[in-house]
Amino acid sequence: MKALVYYGAGQQQWEDRPEPKLSAQTDAIVRIENTTICGTDLHIMKGNVPTVASGRILGHEGVGMIEEIGSGVTEHKVGDRVLISCITSCGKCAMCKRGTYGHCAYGGWILGNTIDGCQAEYVRIPHADGSLYQVPANADQESYVMLSDILPTGLEVGVLEGNVKPGCTLAIVGAGPVGLAALMTAQFYSPSRIFMIDLDDNRLQVSASLGATDIINNRDGNAAAEVMSRTKGVGVDVVIEAIGTPSGWDVCENIVAAGGNIAILGVHGKSVTLHLEHMWKRNFTMTAGLVHTSTIPMLMAAVQAGRLQPRKLISHHLGLSEMRHAYDVFGHAASHHALKVLMTNDISISGHKDRAA
Amino acid sequence: MKALVYYGAGQQQWEDRPEPKLSAQTDAIVRIENTTICGTDLHIMKGNVPTVASGRILGHEGVGMIEEIGSGVTEHKVGDRVLISCITSCGKCAMCKRGTYGHCAYGGWILGNTIDGCQAEYVRIPHADGSLYQVPANADQESYVMLSDILPTGLEVGVLEGNVKPGCTLAIVGAGPVGLAALMTAQFYSPSRIFMIDLDDNRLQVSASLGATDIINNRDGNAAAEVMSRTKGVGVDVVIEAIGTPSGWDVCENIVAAGGNIAILGVHGKSVTLHLEHMWKRNFTMTAGLVHTSTIPMLMAAVQAGRLQPRKLISHHLGLSEMRHAYDVFGHAASHHALKVLMTNDISISGHKDRAA
Amino acid sequence: MKALVYYGAGQQQWEDRPEPKLSAQTDAIVRIENTTICGTDLHIMKGNVPTVASGRILGHEGVGMIEEIGSGVTEHKVGDRVLISCITSCGKCAMCKRGTYGHCAYGGWILGNTIDGCQAEYVRIPHADGSLYQVPANADQESYVMLSDILPTGLEVGVLEGNVKPGCTLAIVGAGPVGLAALMTAQFYSPSRIFMIDLDDNRLQVSASLGATDIINNRDGNAAAEVMSRTKGVGVDVVIEAIGTPSGWDVCENIVAAGGNIAILGVHGKSVTLHLEHMWKRNFTMTAGLVHTSTIPMLMAAVQAGRLQPRKLISHHLGLSEMRHAYDVFGHAASHHALKVLMTNDISISGHKDRAA
Amino acid sequence: MKALVYYGAGQQQWEDRPEPKLSAQTDAIVRIENTTICGTDLHIMKGNVPTVASGRILGHEGVGMIEEIGSGVTEHKVGDRVLISCITSCGKCAMCKRGTYGHCAYGGWILGNTIDGCQAEYVRIPHADGSLYQVPANADQESYVMLSDILPTGLEVGVLEGNVKPGCTLAIVGAGPVGLAALMTAQFYSPSRIFMIDLDDNRLQVSASLGATDIINNRDGNAAAEVMSRTKGVGVDVVIEAIGTPSGWDVCENIVAAGGNIAILGVHGKSVTLHLEHMWKRNFTMTAGLVHTSTIPMLMAAVQAGRLQPRKLISHHLGLSEMRHAYDVFGHAASHHALKVLMTNDISISGHKDRAA
């Protein structure tokens, strides 16, 4: 089969690889129908994620069809269309029992990290019962691809950890895909005002179309001052950091209201300075952490009910065989006005007629 | 009357001052029966609290008898024995309505800060209805003095913000009075294990007598490593920082378990480094803020039920007229084996028979 | 002044009464600009509310202008336009400190119940600081009148007690004004499906226009069976009872899902049968109680942000002098297709120039 | 093997039955070392639990050693000593993913109900990974038996659903084993006062020794009046119903404070009357439901930390072969002063040397 393989910082190949095989009775083999690229994949390509070894197939998002299944899988069967969670969950360990699948003793984020991932024609999914979700027959399949990672991440790590509530004020620092996912899902809780801060006017325009009430371009570094001015010095109740840089953190610390929350959604590579000499008396809360994807069922219900249109985050449609081009588009998002790039399997698969039956 | 007056960094006088008078219809004048000194008073004496002007009477803790009362006070009357909250609450502003009295638009921490305080024979208490609590006739009055500040602070800012739960593991970094208050009140929620970390063996011994299961002297800087070793690398579920230094913060960051909480109880004067490059994926929560003293009624119930003995935090009993000596003892706590110093009014008050009637 | 006075079951007069006077320093006198009639007023007129004595001026909803104010009121001043909460809150008692204003030791629901109310040209509001809210200059004043009682009741007692959450299923039993208020505010939390059950097709059509996804007329008594059928036997996550009858309760008990919630919004006059022999193992939660109106600030923010249009609940506009007619319309709601009846002060007030100045 | 078999109302045999065999790869076969009898077993023997067919081996509590294990079990192995949860949990269905194991699509309460149970020498445990817990080498094994059902039930259905909080007042109606389990675990949350109501003076004395502050014998039917008197008419914040009768419910309804909670712990066989005409305005919450046993890990931690001694609930020690006598003792608890009856395997097992190896 064809797969996108990582060969160290800046090196990748779209090449032939053996198809995956079942290795445990709780495994499933999924034929990929749609996949996409995550900002984390770009971090990997820069060589910043040391757990990813050379030779690894990347990707942790996708929808596909089950081709083979282990004897211990009870919730899915061959021929089922499934959504792949970016988080693998055994359902048995102490962390999974608490619903904190991101810290699963046997899983967590392993796809396209410590085991081969979804940017390929086939992928092996361990602990298939806890890691796959049934896609209904009438589903908007493209929207479902956005539920593998980005929507649950925006919702769980941003909106729920930040405790967005009806009538509150909210600021999202960073209008990339995950910031936009937070923007979309924050509206489940009806904040009265949503500030969106970025450097890219296109993304800010998209933000406005998706429900932001105040868009602020921080090219002059005045965003924090602007938010404080527009809130009459009070600041905002919830701040979601969706960039992953020290300067993103600084904006958050400067605009959070007394009694407010900062939720870190960005993947950070450097330390930040926490000004406890000012903040100790502010009754603020700060949170950071992995997605568990425990909200996938709720998000599926919202999509089915027509209350969420994640496909709005898709800016480009490409074939799976255009994988290298897809990385180029997503890696230069600003010049391509790119949000999420959706790839659909366009490869004629020989010798699989028996499976397709 | 006699009062302890601050005259700039390192300067204080025990001197005659005019008695306070009612200035609003919601005021009360309280004759101090017991007061004490807070760690914050020592910060003030070092000149580190710029809101405190020269000439200010210090102190924000105490129990006393109401001598005079404004026409707008309905919950208290002359002759009532009352506990003084360190936080003044109007009960009307948006912050008070949410129960966040520490950010009261007209009050908050003002006693011994922006208005004259309790280290005196008399004190004026604004917004007396929201800022004073009735002391029952049979109460352990010395225990009640500990409810002005230190017990609610340990409970609200440490235990409740940290979300101590039955069966969890807890570490408290700093065994001074406020750390011990957190230790005592944490046991309302039955943690299975409580680590106490300090540099002073006497305070650690007190901690063990008050319920700590593991005491660790950090004189070698190995406390974090020791906690990780004793928890088999997992860390602790809740960490309460009760020192107020960057090194205290560092210990907390190093021992919090994935999914755990850090509650900042210390008053910090410097920035700290937050290692988001490690912590972004740890699903931790950090909180910091002022006490609201909204738990005073619950703490009074616990004292009345015999389930809490705050008087155990009192190491020294002195007269009010020994105020300067009390500062000396508390300011050199280690050499005096001092925890809280309780001062009782020992001054014969002439010319007040009319009031006592 | 003119006022609507209750004289026992079925008896009322629109008659001259002396204007109210300040009786405590925390009082305000408000000149009514808009008021309305509540379902509870109809209960009173049937003689079912024994706390209401003959001779009482009814009404507990309204917006008006402050005419006189006590010396102890600090948050409002003469000439301010204010929203009157149906709940009077002292802000000082233990219940108010917990935010449970409905059980205020000195207030609660007293307007138009144990003291004279708002269906008059003037009303005395005790504890004005806690019981009045500032109406912004640019506000949609008619919408604000709906915030005195019906919107906070639907939200607090129905939606919040019922714990409506994104993606959940919801049923509201009764499409009268308070049921519709629950319908509107439930959407702050983005349920995936909202069943609305009533006997009146007009109200069901209104429900559909306000966001209900499934409307069911229970004229044949099959509503419960229909809900179970449409949910494939699972039932709904949250059921809000908004009628106040045993048969309303029965529907709720029959359609709540395992693990679900029943929130009682109706005012009940009779006992109901709780089938604990079936329900003991269903992990359900039932709640009932008074509104506290603590959500008024949040609701005002939502109105100001354009996210809530309570004026949609107003079906009829009348003058204050048409009070008797207003009762007739609201008391025969079905034949008039009536929801809320808004009354506006149309009475020329002589001899008040001094006040208006 | 020997087993206690139900043969319809009032009929049981201690007889030879074939040993259970693995029937799914997620099964385990456990050799029972300790078991006990639950009040629910007495309900079954009265013929009141229609899901239990004639020929069923009863029992859903116990500790034992794993003898055989399916290929799909990963968390346990042959020779492990394990605690058996009364609730079987697949870990995969929507209910298990929410932690509501009591409603597991493939499990829930099935042991000694719809499949053979623990009152036997061996038992087959389906979904062994989710339904068994490792017993540490140094554990107090007898205390662990109490964690199969009674302690988690008292804690989850009584204390947690009832929301017992530090400083609150609590009443438990019924001092049988499950009421006592609620009493013990309620103290994790430090209520200030605990009323215990029963008809049996012995059980009330036990209650006092286990932490109740007020014991009331309801032989004259005055318990509710007595509680109201001792609380000065306020009532109690949390009421736990632990009998399962309409009269038990009536007491609860009469003593719950405004804003309080009623948690139904009893297994009810009849309807009760809910006086909504009084309660609609009381802001009370009522809960009822199955245990999920999700607190077993926390309870094990508390036992290991020495903070909980469930063995105090054991009044009688018998051999497994004395099963019929054990039913007689537990079925006539008052005359035997019986709480829980612990049975230990005293049967010499021939032909199992191969397994014991």
Side-chain angles (χ1 to χ4, degrees), chain D residues 12-304:
Chain D
Q12 63 175 207
Q13 299 284 347
W14 175 247
E15 65 180 25
D16 281 307
R17 288 287 288 257
E19 289 178 20
K21 297 185 191 319
L22 296 174
S23 69
Q25 57 183 231
T26 49
D27 285 354
I29 304 297
V30 176
R31 179 175 177 267
I32 294 293
E33 295 180 340
N34 302 106
T35 188
T36 183
I37 305 170
C38 181
T40 305
D41 295 323
L42 301 183
H43 281 283
I44 295 170
M45 287 310 305
K46 289 174 184 158
N48 290 336
V49 186
T51 49
V52 183
S54 178
R56 175 71 61 236
I57 299 174
L58 299 186
H60 50 266
E61 300 166 275
V63 164
M65 182 86 71
I66 294 181
E67 287 268 329
E68 287 186 84
I69 201 141
S71 64
V73 181
T74 57
E75 305 301 290
H76 309 291
K77 63 183 188 303
V78 170
D80 286 353
R81 180 160 288 124
V82 288
L83 168 68
I84 300 167
S85 168
C86 65
I87 296 296
T88 300
S89 164
C90 76
K92 297 174 173 182
C93 71
M95 287 299 193
C96 283
K97 285 196 170 186
R98 291 183 210 162
T100 57
Y101 309 144
H103 297 287
C104 172
Y106 307 111
W109 174 45
I110 56 173
L111 281 178
N113 178 8
T114 58
I115 67 170
D116 286 336
C118 302
Q119 290 168 2
E121 291 179 76
Y122 295 95
V123 62
R124 180 179 68 88
I125 303 294
H127 303 291
D129 279 329
S131 310
L132 298 174
Y133 292 83
Q134 292 279 318
V135 178
N138 63 342
D140 171 2
Q141 186 164 336
E142 296 192 355
S143 278
Y144 268 64
V145 180
M146 303 295 109
L147 302 192
S148 285
D149 179 347
I150 193 166
L151 264 293
T153 298
L155 174 57
E156 295 174 22
V157 185
V159 175
L160 294 177
E161 289 292 329
N163 199 13
V164 175
K165 288 191 286 198
C168 81
T169 53
L170 168 67
I172 300 173
V173 182
V178 75
L180 295 172
L183 171 62
M184 292 177 79
T185 54
Q187 294 170 75
F188 287 157
Y189 294 94
S190 308
S192 64
R193 196 169 184 186
I194 308 176
F195 294 87
M196 204 83 190
I197 299 168
D198 203 290
L199 297 168
D200 181 326
D201 281 330
N202 175 59
R203 288 184 163 188
L204 289 169
Q205 289 307 320
V206 172
S207 300
S209 77
L210 290 175
T213 60
D214 292 70
I215 58 177
I216 301 178
N217 193 310
N218 195 29
R219 66 170 67 86
D220 299 327
N222 293 330
E226 181 67 21
V227 170
M228 293 311 288
S229 167
R230 293 195 197 179
T231 59
K232 298 175 183 166
V234 171
V236 294
D237 299 319
V238 183
V239 192
I240 295 176
E241 202 276 348
I243 309 180
T245 63
S247 60
W249 163 260
D250 290 344
V251 172
C252 296
E253 204 184 42
N254 285 324
I255 65 176
V256 67
N261 305 322
I262 301 174
I264 303 291
L265 197 50
V267 173
H268 284 255
K270 295 180 180 170
S271 298
V272 303
T273 299
L274 169 58
H275 292 278
L276 273 183
E277 75 276 24
H278 304 309
M279 301 299 282
W280 76 267
K281 60 183 174 292
R282 297 280 290 163
N283 289 90
F284 83 112
T285 297
M286 199 211 93
T287 55
L290 295 174
V291 67
H292 304 308
T293 69
S294 57
T295 58
I296 286 179
M298 182 267 259
L299 288 163
M300 295 197 306
V303 170
Q304 291 302 103

Side-chain angles (χ1 to χ4, degrees), chain C:
Chain C
M1 68 173 186
K2 290 290 188 186
L4 190 284
V5 184
Y6 169 76
Y7 284 110
Q11 305 295 322
Q12 61 175 207
Q13 298 284 349
W14 177 247
E15 65 180 25
D16 280 307
R17 288 287 289 260
E19 290 178 20
K21 297 187 190 317
L22 295 175
S23 69
Q25 55 184 232
T26 48
D27 285 353
I29 305 296
V30 176
R31 179 175 176 268
I32 293 293
E33 296 181 337
N34 302 105
T35 188
T36 183
I37 306 170
C38 181
T40 305
D41 295 322
L42 300 184
H43 281 284
I44 294 170
M45 287 311 305
K46 289 174 183 157
N48 290 335
V49 186
T51 48
V52 183
S54 179
R56 176 70 60 236
I57 300 174
L58 300 186
H60 50 265
E61 301 166 275
V63 165
M65 183 86 71
I66 295 181
E67 287 267 330
E68 286 187 84
I69 203 141
S71 64
V73 180
T74 56
E75 305 301 290
H76 309 290
K77 62 183 190 304
V78 169
D80 286 353
R81 179 160 289 122
V82 289
L83 168 68
I84 300 167
S85 168
C86 65
I87 296 296
T88 300
S89 164
C90 76
K92 298 175 174 181
C93 70
M95 286 301 192
C96 283
K97 285 195 170 187
R98 291 182 209 163
T100 56
Y101 310 143
H103 298 285
C104 173
Y106 307 111
W109 174 43
I110 56 175
L111 281 177
N113 176 9
T114 59
I115 67 171
D116 285 337
C118 302
Q119 292 167 2
E121 291 179 76
Y122 296 93
V123 62
R124 180 180 69 88
I125 303 294
H127 304 290
D129 278 328
S131 312
L132 298 175
Y133 292 83
Q134 292 280 317
V135 178
N138 64 342
D140 170 2
Q141 186 164 334
E142 296 193 355
S143 278
Y144 268 65
V145 181
M146 303 295 110
L147 303 192
S148 284
D149 180 346
I150 194 166
L151 263 294
T153 297
L155 174 57
E156 296 175 20
V157 185
V159 175
L160 294 177
E161 289 292 330
N163 197 17
V164 176
K165 286 192 287 200
C168 81
T169 54
L170 167 67
I172 300 173
V173 182
V178 76
L180 295 172
L183 170 62
M184 292 177 80
T185 54
Q187 294 170 75
F188 288 158
Y189 294 94
S190 307
S192 64
R193 196 168 182 186
I194 308 176
F195 293 87
M196 205 84 189
I197 299 168
D198 204 289
L199 297 168
D200 181 324
D201 281 330
N202 176 58
R203 288 184 163 187
L204 289 171
Q205 289 306 321
V206 172
S207 300
S209 78
L210 291 175
T213 60
D214 293 70
I215 58 176
I216 301 178
N217 192 310
N218 194 29
R219 65 170 68 86
D220 300 326
N222 293 329
E226 181 67 21
V227 170
M228 293 311 287
S229 167
R230 293 194 198 179
T231 59
K232 298 175 183 167
V234 171
V236 294
D237 298 320
V238 182
V239 192
I240 296 176
E241 201 278 345
I243 309 180
T245 63
S247 61
W249 162 260
D250 292 343
V251 171
C252 295
E253 203 184 42
N254 285 324
I255 65 175
V256 67
N261 306 321
I262 300 174
I264 302 292
L265 197 51
V267 173
H268 284 256
K270 295 181 180 168
S271 299
V272 302
T273 298
L274 169 58
H275 292 279
L276 272 184
E277 74 276 24
H278 305 309
M279 301 299 283
W280 75 267
K281 60 184 175 292
R282 297 280 289 164
N283 289 89
F284 83 112
T285 297
M286 198 210 94
T287 55
L290 296 173
V291 68
H292 304 309
T293 68
S294 56
T295 57
I296 286 178
M298 182 267 261
L299 288 162
M300 294 196 307
V303 170
Q304 290 302 102
R307 292 176 184 260
L308 184 71
Q309 285 87 31
R311 62 160 54 236
K312 290 182 178 173
L313 295 175
I314 302 170
S315 62
H316 291 72
H317 289 76
L318 295 172
L320 192 60
S321 62
E322 298 172 282
M323 184 70 73
R324 298 290 303 275
H325 178 51
Y327 264 86
D328 189 59
V329 168
F330 190 63
H332 301 82
S335 57
H336 290 278
H337 284 195
L339 298 172
K340 291 290 278 186
V341 176
L342 187 89
M343 288 168 282
T344 301
N345 196 336
D346 58 341
I347 302 169
S348 76
I349 299 177
S350 59
H352 287 100
K353 281 177 197 154
D354 50 335
R355 284 181 172 168

